[in-house]
């Protein structure tokens, strides 16, 4: 799901090298009809879904004659995970839109390779409980979580003391508030180590990405908030670490390349060949570490606060963040105005300690509206 995005296209690169092992049965995209058609012609899936119904006709005209079933719209996107013959669904949509497909995939008993962190941020408890009830595996694709997952392979029930999520620090590492006040969209999109979709690139610059990942890790690995720490590591070579009860630490390392965690999620528990560039110690004589600055990058503090409070607060954080990131990308909002609006949403949207799925959908909508209203007021000034 999301085959035309950054993760989606990299997954198809992995699959292209291993056609004997993997074949995409379904491909989905939101808007990019041209690329979806191209991908379907190359990989020959049984079905495709295009989210934006305006593009239905053109996708259908190109693919139906080739025997590919074509569907369109949000319901089709959410329900396609129940398609027969699926062993696994790679959820690489961006944002809250990933939640319903994840829930439906679990309902259909289909294992999940999960890139979409937002679904665990907003509904981690419900998703993990449902997955465990239906015996569905959720294999992380996010590089830090894949690293932790890889460190835990073979450890059985050995107790984890804590985990360290590494953060590159993004393009604004070491900058102060005065500098951040005037950064532009182009500055924020210029990530030093990773090439990714626009939303996650802005989240990386604001450290919200790390905040979301902290919450994602809590649910994936069943940890208490005080077992999760973040360490800035600008080279992005160590992808994350696990510290066990005996004090021993395991790290997973490699050059930053998302194809590796994607491939591992698809091939797990096996490791299969890749021709990705190998790490050389002499190219990196130094690996550095430092503490993240939660006063300057206050999104990280907000995410820890949301994780500790639990309930629907992470959903509020995520929804507000989606709105402010879009406004920043539309150049309607300054970089430092983003955390400010997220915080106001967290303080003003009604708290629910044990939200149902329905209440999470309502919280998402309600927060989006509230955040948009706050942005409207600011821009009207
Ligand atoms: P992207 O914007 O490049 O791609 C998103 C994909 O989802 C596209 O195929 C798009 O058509 C589809 N999509 C977008 N909105 C949709 C909607 N409302 N409904 C249905 N489909 C929709 O994003 P990306 O960078 O590939 O990120 C995807 C997910 O993976 C995000 O949750 C992100 O946090 C996570 N992730 C990405 C990376 C990375 O390197 N790009 C790394 C780790 C985690
Ligand atoms: Mg990550």
């Amino acid at each position: 799901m999301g085959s035309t995005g950054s993760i989606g296209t990299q997954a198809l690169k992995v699959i292209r090298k291993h056609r004997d092992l993997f074949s995409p049965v379904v491909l989905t995209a939101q808007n990019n009809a041209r690329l979806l058609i191209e991908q379907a012609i190359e990989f020959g899936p049984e079905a495709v879904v295009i989210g934006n119904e305006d593009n239905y006709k053109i996708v259908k005209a190109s693919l139906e004659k080739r025997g590919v079933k074509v569907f369109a719209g949000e319901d089709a996107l959410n329900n396609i995970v129940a398609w027969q013959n699926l062993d696994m669904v790679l959820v690489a949509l961006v944002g809250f839109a990933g939640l319903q497909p994840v829930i439906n995939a679990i309902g259909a008993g289909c294992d999940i390779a999960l890139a979409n962190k937002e679904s665990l941020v907003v509904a981690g408890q419900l998703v993990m409980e449902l997955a465990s009830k239906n015996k569905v595996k959720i294999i992380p694709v996010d590089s830090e979580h894949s690293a932790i997952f890889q460190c835990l392979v073979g450890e059985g029930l050995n107790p984890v003391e804590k985990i360290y999520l590494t953060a590159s620090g993004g393009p604004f590492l070491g900058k102060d508030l005065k500098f951040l006040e005037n950064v532009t969209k182009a500055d924020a999109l210029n990530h030093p180590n990773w090439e990714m979709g626009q939303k996650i690139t802005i989240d990386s610059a604001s450290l919200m990405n790390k905040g979301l990942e902290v919450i994602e890790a809590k649910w994936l690995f069943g940890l208490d908030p005080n077992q999760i720490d973040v360490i800035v590591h600008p080279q992005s070579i160590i992808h994350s670490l696990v510290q066990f009860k005996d004090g021993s630490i395991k790290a997973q390392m490699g050059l930053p390349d998302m194809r590796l965690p994607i491939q591992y999620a698809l091939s797990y528990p096996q490791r299969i060949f890749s021709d990705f560039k190998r790490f050389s110690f002499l190219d990196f004589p130094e690996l550095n570490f430092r503490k993240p600055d939660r006063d300057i990058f206050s999104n990280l503090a907000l995410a820890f606060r949301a994780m500790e409070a639990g309930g629907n607060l992470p959903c509020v954080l995520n929804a507000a963040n989606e709105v402010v990131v879009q406004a920043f990308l539309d150049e309607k909002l300054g970089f430092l105005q983003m955390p400010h609006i997220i915080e106001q949403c967290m303080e003003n949207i009604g708290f629910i300690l044990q939200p149902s799925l329905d209440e999470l959908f309502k919280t998402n909508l309600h927060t989006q509206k509230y955040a948009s209203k706050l942005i409207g007021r600011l821009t009207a000034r």
Side-chain angles (χ1 to χ4, degrees):
M1 304 203 69
S3 65
T4 55
S6 161
I7 292 289
T9 51
Q10 295 183 83
L12 288 175
K13 282 185 186 161
V14 167
I15 291 174
R16 192 178 281 128
K17 297 265 180 174
H18 295 282
R19 292 301 294 269
D20 52 329
L21 294 175
F22 309 120
S23 68
V25 180
V26 172
L27 297 172
T28 85
Q30 180 64 8
N31 287 310
N32 194 340
R34 189 194 48 75
L35 183 56
L36 181 66
I37 293 167
E38 225 174 80
Q39 292 175 337
I41 292 174
E42 179 183 353
F43 290 94
E46 292 174 16
V48 301
V49 187
I50 181 88
N52 182 344
E53 298 186 37
D54 295 344
N55 294 338
Y56 176 59
K57 276 201 180 127
I58 120 166
V59 179
K60 188 171 141 119
S62 311
L63 295 180
E64 228 167 42
K65 57 185 183 228
R66 296 171 180 267
V68 180
K69 291 258 185 329
V70 179
F71 303 99
E74 197 181 325
D75 286 347
L77 264 175
N78 289 337
N79 294 322
I80 199 71
V81 289
W83 191 259
Q84 71 276 17
N85 307 334
L86 294 182
D87 296 318
M88 176 173 251
V89 54
L90 168 61
V91 183
L93 312 182
V94 55
F96 187 91
L99 178 57
Q100 193 65 58
V102 165
I103 298 272
N104 291 356
I106 298 173
C110 185
D111 287 340
I112 298 173
L114 188 65
N116 178 274
K117 63 193 80 188
E118 294 90 343
S119 47
L120 282 183
V121 170
V122 300
Q125 182 161 10
L126 291 177
V127 166
M128 295 311 287
E129 279 171 9
L130 206 59
S132 132
K133 199 170 116 208
N134 289 14
K135 301 197 168 46
V136 163
K137 287 200 217 59
I138 298 185
I139 320 251
V141 168
D142 211 348
S143 58
E144 297 77 1
H145 305 74
S146 174
I148 290 164
F149 186 82
Q150 292 180 55
C151 291
L152 291 173
V153 167
E155 291 291 347
L157 295 175
N158 284 337
V160 169
E161 194 162 74
K162 69 190 285 186
I163 63 167
Y164 292 93
L165 293 175
T166 51
S168 70
F172 305 139
L173 176 60
K175 302 296 188 198
D176 58 15
L177 287 172
K178 197 164 173 304
F179 180 93
L180 291 180
E181 201 164 327
N182 297 313
V183 294
T184 65
K185 167 183 166 182
D187 298 330
L189 284 174
N190 188 19
H191 196 279
N193 303 352
W194 297 98
E195 210 173 296
M196 309 176 285
Q198 288 205 330
K199 192 234 171 204
I200 183 174
T201 307
I202 301 302
D203 286 346
S204 299
S206 70
L207 285 208
M208 181 53 93
N209 183 51
K210 211 47 57 183
L212 299 177
E213 290 184 352
V214 162
I215 303 174
E216 180 187 14
K218 169 186 163 57
W219 295 116
L220 272 174
F221 305 111
L223 300 168
D224 286 334
N226 61 15
Q227 289 178 289
I228 308 173
D229 213 342
V230 173
I231 188 86
V232 173
H233 165 46
Q235 294 88 2
S236 297
I237 295 297
I238 296 184
H239 299 307
S240 280
L241 313 94
V242 179
Q243 178 176 310
F244 293 91
K245 269 270 145 57
D246 61 359
S248 175
I249 296 182
K250 279 164 92 172
Q252 189 264 337
M253 299 171 60
L255 292 174
D257 184 338
M258 281 310 294
R259 290 174 304 170
L260 206 140
I262 293 169
Q263 172 167 309
Y264 186 75
L266 299 183
S267 72
Y268 171 81
Q270 276 177 279
R271 287 190 185 271
I272 58 177
F273 175 76
S274 91
D275 59 4
F276 312 149
K277 190 169 179 233
R278 281 6 184 195
F279 172 75
S280 156
F281 280 94
L282 301 184
D283 289 344
F284 294 88
E286 279 184 41
L287 297 179
N288 304 111
F289 306 93
R290 62 164 103 164
K291 203 173 139 121
D293 193 327
R294 291 195 204 186
D295 294 330
I296 292 181
F297 295 94
S298 51
N299 275 342
L300 192 56
L302 292 175
F304 268 95
R305 198 201 291 174
M307 171 173 62
E308 279 151 19
N312 65 341
L313 206 57
C315 180
V316 172
L317 172 96
N318 179 70
N321 183 57
E322 289 189 20
V323 174
V324 297
V325 168
Q326 192 53 53
F328 178 74
L329 285 168
D330 295 340
E331 300 181 311
K332 287 183 188 149
L333 204 61
F335 192 78
L336 289 182
Q337 286 174 312
M338 292 196 284
H340 188 62
I341 288 188
I342 297 168
E343 186 168 17
Q344 285 185 61
C345 290
M346 288 172 65
E347 278 164 11
N348 289 296
I349 300 289
F351 181 69
I352 308 173
L353 185 58
Q354 288 288 343
S356 64
L357 192 58
D358 189 46
E359 285 169 325
L360 289 172
F361 274 87
K362 283 189 183 135
T363 298
N364 182 56
L365 236 121
H366 190 165
T367 308
Q368 284 183 339
K369 281 194 192 141
Y370 187 70
S372 303
K373 201 169 84 185
L374 294 177
I375 294 171
R377 266 192 221 151
L378 275 176
T379 45
R381 269 191 215 151

